[in-house]
Short mmCIF file of all heavy atoms in Angstrom, two decimals:
data_model
loop_
_atom_site.label_atom_id
_atom_site.label_comp_id
_atom_site.label_asym_id
_atom_site.label_seq_id
_atom_site.Cartn_x
_atom_site.Cartn_y
_atom_site.Cartn_z
N GLY A 679 12.28 127.58 97.60
CA GLY A 679 10.90 128.07 97.55
C GLY A 679 10.59 128.84 98.82
O GLY A 679 10.85 128.35 99.93
N ASN A 680 10.07 130.04 98.67
CA ASN A 680 9.66 130.86 99.81
C ASN A 680 8.14 130.96 99.77
O ASN A 680 7.60 131.66 98.92
CB ASN A 680 10.31 132.24 99.70
CG ASN A 680 9.78 133.21 100.73
OD1 ASN A 680 9.15 132.82 101.71
ND2 ASN A 680 10.05 134.50 100.52
N LYS A 682 6.21 132.29 101.94
CA LYS A 682 5.68 133.49 102.59
C LYS A 682 4.52 133.08 103.53
O LYS A 682 4.60 132.04 104.15
CB LYS A 682 5.28 134.54 101.55
CG LYS A 682 6.38 134.75 100.52
CD LYS A 682 6.17 135.91 99.60
CE LYS A 682 7.34 135.98 98.63
NZ LYS A 682 7.31 137.19 97.81
N LEU A 771 15.93 132.22 106.13
CA LEU A 771 16.01 133.41 105.27
C LEU A 771 16.27 134.60 106.19
O LEU A 771 15.71 134.65 107.28
CB LEU A 771 14.66 133.68 104.61
CG LEU A 771 14.21 132.91 103.40
CD1 LEU A 771 12.82 133.44 102.97
CD2 LEU A 771 15.18 133.08 102.26
N HIS A 774 14.68 139.41 103.91
CA HIS A 774 13.77 139.45 102.76
C HIS A 774 13.19 140.87 102.63
O HIS A 774 12.92 141.53 103.63
CB HIS A 774 12.65 138.43 102.92
CG HIS A 774 11.87 138.26 101.66
ND1 HIS A 774 10.89 139.16 101.29
CD2 HIS A 774 11.97 137.37 100.65
CE1 HIS A 774 10.41 138.80 100.11
NE2 HIS A 774 11.05 137.72 99.70
N SER A 775 12.98 141.30 101.42
CA SER A 775 12.53 142.70 101.22
C SER A 775 11.21 142.97 101.92
O SER A 775 10.93 144.10 102.32
CB SER A 775 12.45 143.04 99.74
OG SER A 775 11.41 142.31 99.15
N GLU A 776 10.38 141.93 102.06
CA GLU A 776 9.10 142.16 102.75
C GLU A 776 9.32 142.43 104.23
O GLU A 776 8.57 143.17 104.86
CB GLU A 776 8.15 140.97 102.51
CG GLU A 776 7.63 141.00 101.07
CD GLU A 776 7.32 139.65 100.46
OE1 GLU A 776 7.18 138.65 101.20
OE2 GLU A 776 7.25 139.58 99.21
N CYS A 805 18.97 137.96 101.81
CA CYS A 805 18.31 138.59 100.65
C CYS A 805 18.67 140.07 100.58
O CYS A 805 18.62 140.78 101.60
CB CYS A 805 16.80 138.47 100.77
SG CYS A 805 16.23 136.78 101.01
N GLU A 856 17.38 139.85 94.99
CA GLU A 856 15.97 139.93 94.60
C GLU A 856 15.58 141.39 94.42
O GLU A 856 15.27 142.08 95.40
CB GLU A 856 15.09 139.32 95.70
CG GLU A 856 15.37 137.86 95.98
CD GLU A 856 14.18 137.22 96.69
OE1 GLU A 856 13.81 137.67 97.78
OE2 GLU A 856 13.60 136.29 96.11
N ALA A 860 10.76 143.33 91.11
CA ALA A 860 10.48 142.09 90.38
C ALA A 860 9.74 141.07 91.25
O ALA A 860 9.28 140.05 90.75
CB ALA A 860 11.79 141.48 89.87
N ILE A 861 9.61 141.35 92.55
CA ILE A 861 9.02 140.36 93.45
C ILE A 861 7.50 140.41 93.38
O ILE A 861 6.89 141.44 93.64
CB ILE A 861 9.49 140.59 94.91
CG1 ILE A 861 11.00 140.32 95.01
CG2 ILE A 861 8.72 139.70 95.87
CD1 ILE A 861 11.57 140.56 96.39
N GLY A 862 6.93 139.28 92.98
CA GLY A 862 5.47 139.16 92.97
C GLY A 862 4.79 140.03 91.93
O GLY A 862 3.58 140.23 91.98
N THR A 863 5.55 140.58 91.00
CA THR A 863 4.98 141.51 90.03
C THR A 863 4.86 140.92 88.63
O THR A 863 4.22 141.50 87.77
CB THR A 863 5.88 142.76 89.90
OG1 THR A 863 7.19 142.32 89.52
CG2 THR A 863 5.97 143.52 91.21
N GLY A 864 5.51 139.78 88.42
CA GLY A 864 5.56 139.23 87.07
C GLY A 864 6.60 139.92 86.21
O GLY A 864 6.83 139.55 85.06
N GLY A 900 16.16 136.08 92.60
CA GLY A 900 14.74 135.94 92.94
C GLY A 900 13.95 137.13 92.43
O GLY A 900 14.46 138.25 92.32
N GLY A 901 12.69 136.88 92.10
CA GLY A 901 11.81 137.94 91.60
C GLY A 901 11.08 137.43 90.38
O GLY A 901 11.62 137.46 89.28
N SER A 902 9.85 136.93 90.59
CA SER A 902 9.01 136.43 89.50
C SER A 902 9.69 135.35 88.66
O SER A 902 9.53 135.31 87.44
CB SER A 902 8.51 137.58 88.61
OG SER A 902 7.69 138.46 89.38
N VAL A 903 10.45 134.49 89.31
CA VAL A 903 11.00 133.32 88.60
C VAL A 903 9.87 132.32 88.41
O VAL A 903 9.07 132.09 89.32
CB VAL A 903 12.15 132.68 89.41
CG1 VAL A 903 12.65 131.41 88.72
CG2 VAL A 903 13.31 133.66 89.58
N THR A 904 9.81 131.74 87.23
CA THR A 904 8.77 130.74 86.90
C THR A 904 9.41 129.58 86.16
O THR A 904 10.56 129.68 85.71
CB THR A 904 7.69 131.34 85.97
OG1 THR A 904 8.33 131.62 84.70
CG2 THR A 904 7.07 132.61 86.52
N LEU A 921 15.54 131.82 94.13
CA LEU A 921 14.64 131.88 95.29
C LEU A 921 13.27 132.28 94.73
O LEU A 921 13.14 133.35 94.15
CB LEU A 921 15.15 132.90 96.31
CG LEU A 921 14.26 133.14 97.54
CD1 LEU A 921 13.98 131.86 98.30
CD2 LEU A 921 14.91 134.16 98.48
N VAL A 922 12.31 131.39 94.90
CA VAL A 922 11.05 131.54 94.17
C VAL A 922 9.88 131.62 95.14
O VAL A 922 9.74 130.75 96.02
CB VAL A 922 10.84 130.33 93.23
CG1 VAL A 922 9.64 130.58 92.31
CG2 VAL A 922 12.09 130.05 92.41
N GLY A 923 9.05 132.62 94.97
CA GLY A 923 7.85 132.77 95.79
C GLY A 923 6.65 132.09 95.14
O GLY A 923 6.48 130.88 95.24
N GLY A 924 5.86 132.88 94.43
CA GLY A 924 4.59 132.42 93.87
C GLY A 924 4.66 131.08 93.14
O GLY A 924 3.83 130.20 93.37
N ALA A 925 5.65 130.90 92.29
CA ALA A 925 5.71 129.69 91.47
C ALA A 925 6.14 128.46 92.27
O ALA A 925 6.12 127.34 91.74
CB ALA A 925 6.66 129.89 90.28
N SER A 926 6.52 128.64 93.54
CA SER A 926 6.88 127.47 94.35
C SER A 926 5.68 126.92 95.12
O SER A 926 5.79 125.89 95.79
CB SER A 926 7.99 127.83 95.35
OG SER A 926 7.49 128.65 96.40
P1 PGA B 1992 8.13 135.82 93.66
O1 PGA B 1992 8.81 136.02 95.11
O2 PGA B 1992 8.82 134.63 93.03
O3 PGA B 1992 6.67 135.55 93.95
O4 PGA B 1992 8.37 137.06 92.89
C1 PGA B 1992 10.18 135.86 95.29
C2 PGA B 1992 10.56 136.13 96.72
O5 PGA B 1992 9.99 137.04 97.32
O6 PGA B 1992 11.43 135.45 97.28
#
Side-chain angles (χ1 to χ4, degrees):
N680 172 15
K682 312 190 181 188
L771 280 181
H774 191 279
S775 68
E776 287 149 17
C805 306
E856 299 200 301
I861 294 179
T863 57
S902 297
V903 175
T904 67
L921 176 56
V922 189
S926 73

